[in-house]
Amino acid sequence: MGLPTPQTRTAEFRESLAQRILVADGAMGTMLLAKGVSSARCLEELNLSLAALVRDVHREYARAGADILETNTFGANRKRLAVFGLGGIGSGIEAKVRQINRAGVRIAREAARAARGDSAYEPFVAGVVGPLGVRLAPLGSTGAEEARAIFREQIEALVAAGVDLLMLETFRDLTELGEAILAAREAAGPDLAIAAHLSIEDDGSLADGSPPQEFTRRLDSWPVDIVGLNCSSGPRAILETVEKMAAWTGKPLSVLPSAGLPVAVDSRNVYLCSPAYMANYARRFFRVGVRIVGGCCGTTPEHIREIRGQALVFQPGEIHRTVEVEENASPPSLEAVPFAEKSQFASKLASGRFVATVEILPPRGADFSREIEGARLAQRAGIDCASVPDSPLGTARLSAAVLCQLIQREAGLETLLHFCCRDRNVLSLQSDLLGANALGIRNLLCITGDPIRRGAYPDATGVFDVDSIGLTAMVRNLNQGLDLGGNPMGSQTAFAIGAGANPGAIDLDREHRRLEAKIGAGAEFVVTQPIFDLDLLELFLKRVEQYRIPVIAGIWPLTSFRNAEFMIHELRVPVPPSFMARMSVARNGEAGRAEGISIARELIQRVRTMVAGVQLSSPFGHYQMALEVAQAL
């Protein structure tokens, strides 16, 4: 007799799933680390360089009684492999994706056949696919079509190598999982079984707040055969959630919990859920009707052996699949407050009134008296808004939102808060936005944020969970009473949403595409980087006039010839030769500042008929310079 074909094995898998509980294997990654592999290595690449070590792990799980061996391919997509520099020498990244995934299937298949022996069952080989490791648009720069193509590239390699089923695991974003499922069906056709797993928070929701009934219904509507959960903080949270899921889907359920959360012991991560504890929960999973039970991070062959023992003695009559779940009707999304009603600043823009803002930097220390005095001067000079940057250049400063509140309270001047993505994850972004709304801040400029420069805090890390496009979409959701996951909150914010743009960008096509995406995500007005070359501004305005959106031009009073050179060579802001010649004559000191103010005034006079307003920078905190420029208004 010849070896069974992939089609035969797939049919056998479906038959086995219908007849008995299947036990999947446990963690591949933590097992490899426990065998001495460095955490800095690409674990999937071991399929090529240390195949015997990967095969040993598979064999240990097969001997423990696993019915399903999962390939060592969780991160074997081009995005994750590129992080390790794979594909750069000798072969392209496409070749590496194929090689690593096919090797992963071959190694698992060899272990499965070797494990059959006298057993009635040869373990099935599941091709494992994990997330891309990047955020999808609008929260990130990777589009849906690109994500699907990347998933399809990996899955085609797994299918070509002959997997019996596909296991999509540890997805926290429903949108990304949806693209992976579509890619899987495109690559594998309608017959291959697909199991789709999400990773949840301790309360049973996804990271974006989606509750079990919502994500289960969506999973149930997608072209997958099996739905379930994996990873997370351990079996308790997964059990409580899968009990709810059982009421919202008729598809087979699969759970692969981690052995609890890791605890650092002697510089090693130790998972504290014992095999007996996991086996106890396995029996509870069986009672709910779960058809596949295995493990994720921290689970070992001993855990799987204990789970297998419970599966062998479980009686199908103990299953209680129907679980009563009270469905609470969620309040609908709310109609966003009209732009003109969100703030006085927005009302002026909506009515066509020319507006002026002055930049006020948060102080480095706790003394904000100088900034309040600057805001009072601006208010008396007729400035419409104080524009407050959010820790520019990655420096530690007083909270921009707090300074906005202080300015509005102490100086009576409305504020425009620059809100950046650099220092906050998606949960903190939402919390801080709700807090800013509670403080009475109504105008936002959504920005990605400057990279943290080398200096006082060289080891500080940026978060960048989303960029300015994703942040804009998040604020739009909050304005409609929806959280990041689109779940109604019952109340709403009322932010006027601004976006940044650079008319002098080197790649103007890319800048235009990003601005278009920001406007599509919900931006209602635009603030430009400092502009000196009005030909560039005119070209930019022609390209965005189709959007009929107010544009506020950035005006920076140069302080010296050296400052002008800095603008050109380090900030990449074009300064025309005529202005450079004037600054060269004036040089530095008072003469340089006076010439810079004169140039800025001329720019204001020339842009008044072109834009909806100006944002006046205060170089190095010199508010008086900005106010002297404002006299041109």
Side-chain angles (χ1 to χ4, degrees), residues 22 58 106 215 391-392 404 414 445 460 546 554 578 628:
L22 299 179
H58 285 313
R106 184 186 68 251
F215 65 68
S391 296
C404 283
E414 199 171 8
L445 182 62
Q546 59 182 305
S578 59
E628 288 182 40

Side-chain angles (χ1 to χ4, degrees), residues 458-519:
D459 297 323
T461 56
V463 180
F464 297 112
D465 264 6
V466 297
D467 64 5
S468 55
I469 299 170
L471 176 61
T472 301
M474 186 184 298
V475 178
R476 180 189 59 189
N477 265 20
L478 294 177
N479 278 352
Q480 296 172 342
L482 304 172
D483 66 11
L484 175 62
N487 305 300
M489 300 184 300
S491 60
Q492 65 191 133
T493 57
F495 292 117
I497 308 174
N502 183 9
I506 296 175
D507 188 346
L508 197 57
D509 288 336
R510 178 181 182 275
E511 185 72 11
H512 178 72
R513 288 194 300 270
R514 284 187 57 80
L515 180 57
E516 184 178 34
K518 294 174 188 178
I519 294 171

Side-chain angles (χ1 to χ4, degrees), residues 83-98:
V83 172
F84 293 94
L86 298 176
I89 300 176
S91 64
I93 191 68
E94 300 91 343
K96 271 292 187 286
V97 169
R98 289 194 298 270

Side-chain angles (χ1 to χ4, degrees), residues 267-346:
S267 300
R268 294 178 59 242
N269 282 335
V270 176
Y271 293 81
L272 300 182
C273 290
S274 68
Y277 180 84
M278 294 285 283
N280 180 48
Y281 267 93
R283 192 171 187 85
R284 298 183 188 183
F285 290 135
F286 301 154
R287 288 173 180 162
V288 176
V290 174
R291 304 297 299 171
I292 299 175
V293 177
C296 199
C297 302
T299 52
T300 67
E302 276 304 307
H303 290 87
I304 300 307
R305 184 173 288 107
E306 291 288 334
I307 292 172
R308 176 69 174 175
Q310 291 296 324
L312 290 174
V313 300
F314 182 77
Q315 299 298 316
E318 298 179 49
I319 295 176
H320 303 287
R321 178 62 185 265
T322 303
V323 179
E324 293 295 329
V325 179
E326 181 180 354
E327 183 177 7
N328 297 317
S330 298
S333 62
L334 303 173
E335 185 176 350
V337 175
F339 177 62
E341 298 176 16
K342 290 178 176 178
S343 67
Q344 294 179 19
F345 181 67

